[in-house]
Amino acid sequence: HGGGGSGGSGQAAWHPAHGPVMLQRPIFDGNYEAEQEVCLVADTLRSAAVDAHQGFVWKNEGSDRKPKWGFTASAPGSVLTLQVSTKLTAGNTAQQQVAGRDAPVFFSLGYLFSYENMGQAEVTCKGCSCTPTRFDGHRNATRTSQLGMHQVPVTESPDCRISVTVLSSTSSGDHKKLWPGHGP
């Protein structure tokens, strides 16, 4: 009946051709599923925004044929706060504690980077712990605009508030920030 991998206990699953099999441990230590949705888009992203998101607006930066919805700000000092759970599932949290680990959970913030008009931002946390980090949405190496990911290591919390503040410093001459939501 299949194997549980190299030593660890797995979870039972059903394979159509082989019947019950044991799933292997995660390939990477600590790579467990989240307690809730891990990708906030469209309405789930909008509903995660709290505290009146000062200076940010939810708008379509594209066209009716090719919509590009997301939170946008262009003024320094604009703040967007997202309230999310960064907890792993209860069983996996217990597995981490048994292993004596207090590993961070990585929150990935998708943002638009481009060759023009983009600004810099700082990410901070309340209700969970993180080291404040900064990132720049301006990339002038090529004349393209693409989705980037900024990873923030945070502690587990059912009520983590991650805030993004548009900074006055800029390498493009502008301060625009766009967090794509990919939906109306």
Side-chain angles (χ1 to χ4, degrees), residues 51 78-84 86 107 109 121-135 150-154 159-167 179:
D51 298 337
S78 297
V79 179
L80 175 67
T81 301
L82 302 174
Q83 181 179 358
V84 296
T86 56
F107 180 84
L109 179 67
E122 181 176 57
V123 180
T124 57
C125 303
K126 289 184 182 174
C128 60
S129 295
C130 72
T131 300
T133 58
R134 293 181 175 201
F135 63 99
H150 179 70
Q151 288 197 333
V152 182
V154 300
D159 185 23
C160 183
R161 291 175 179 248
I162 299 172
S163 295
V164 181
T165 303
V166 177
L167 300 173
W179 281 271

Side-chain angles (χ1 to χ4, degrees), residues 41-44 46 58-60 67-70 181-184:
V41 295
D43 288 338
T44 57
R46 285 172 58 185
W58 178 260
K59 67 185 268 187
N60 182 2
K68 296 178 184 176
W69 287 92
H182 307 296

Side-chain angles (χ1 to χ4, degrees), residues 63-179:
S63 65
D64 288 340
R65 285 191 69 219
K66 294 182 180 180
K68 296 178 184 176
W69 287 92
F71 283 106
T72 304
S74 57
S78 297
V79 179
L80 175 67
T81 301
L82 302 174
Q83 181 179 358
V84 296
S85 171
T86 56
K87 290 203 53 81
L88 297 174
T89 59
N92 291 334
T93 300
Q95 288 174 1
Q96 279 190 324
Q97 289 171 350
V98 166
R101 296 187 50 214
D102 190 18
V105 174
F106 287 93
F107 180 84
S108 296
L109 179 67
Y111 67 98
L112 181 70
F113 68 83
S114 183
Y115 61 97
E116 63 181 356
N117 304 326
M118 303 309 284
Q120 299 175 359
E122 181 176 57
V123 180
T124 57
C125 303
K126 289 184 182 174
C128 60
S129 295
C130 72
T131 300
T133 58
R134 293 181 175 201
F135 63 99
D136 192 346
H138 182 236
R139 305 278 196 289
N140 60 2
T142 61
R143 293 187 55 84
T144 60
S145 298
Q146 298 178 359
L147 180 66
M149 300 300 278
H150 179 70
Q151 288 197 333
V152 182
V154 300
T155 57
E156 289 188 51
S157 171
D159 185 23
C160 183
R161 291 175 179 248
I162 299 172
S163 295
V164 181
T165 303
V166 177
L167 300 173
S168 58
S169 57
T170 177
S171 61
S172 73
D174 263 320
H175 299 92
K176 182 176 178 180
K177 278 292 174 200
L178 172 65
W179 281 271

Side-chain angles (χ1 to χ4, degrees), residues 2-12 21-26 29 32 95:
S6 56
S9 63
Q11 294 180 334
V21 295
M22 293 300 289
L23 298 177
Q24 295 184 4
R25 305 181 319 192
D29 285 340
Y32 297 105
Q95 288 174 1

